[in-house]
Amino acid sequence: MTMTAAGSALAISANAPATQDATGFAALTLTEIGGVENLGPIGPVFSKVETNPLKGPKDKLKGSVDYGSLNPSIYYDRADAGQVLLKISAKDKTNKLYSFLATLPNGEKWYFQGRVFGMPIDIGGVDSLIMSKPTIEICTEPVEVAGS
């Protein structure tokens, strides 16, 4: 089914799920991050490992997996509870994993854990909003839950 991104959402929790599955993540209390304009790609991408034998064709193999990173554009709002927690996670100097939920308009859910490596603000021109530009590195395999 083709759909627009309108109605999609991103939420965060400082807690870890009891289990790395839909049930474990669904038991968490997540706080929606307000003002999100876009999320970016979610899902695994494998590195390419090539071998080029002297006899035979080049072969390409899947190497290590990278679950991706999100670089959402968020209009800056110091009063938004989700942005406050996102900023706390960005300032966290430990390697703690935070839990995230991306929800699509059809109800499809993508749960994952990650680390926020920064949340700088972007101060544009006179006719633009001040934006937050966090970098969320996805560290666990996303758990997909079908929507309606």
Side-chain angles (χ1 to χ4, degrees), residues 23-112:
T23 302
F25 278 104
L28 293 174
T29 300
L30 291 123
T31 304
E32 187 171 331
I33 299 167
V36 176
E37 284 193 341
N38 65 52
L39 292 179
I42 299 173
V45 175
F46 292 87
S47 65
K48 180 173 65 172
V49 178
E50 295 183 3
T51 179
N52 199 4
L54 294 173
K55 288 186 175 185
K58 179 184 277 191
D59 197 5
K60 299 174 185 174
L61 307 169
K62 286 185 177 181
S64 60
V65 66
D66 184 342
Y67 295 117
S69 63
L70 298 180
N71 299 104
S73 292
I74 304 170
Y75 68 79
Y76 183 66
D77 181 357
R78 291 178 64 132
D80 180 81
Q83 287 190 37
V84 169
L85 184 51
L86 191 62
K87 190 169 187 175
I88 289 168
S89 69
K91 289 184 172 186
D92 188 340
K93 293 182 176 144
T94 71
N95 280 316
K96 175 182 176 172
L97 290 171
Y98 287 76
S99 298
F100 292 88
L101 166 62
T103 307
L104 302 183
N106 67 351
E108 184 175 330
K109 297 177 185 205
W110 292 65
Y111 292 106
F112 58 90

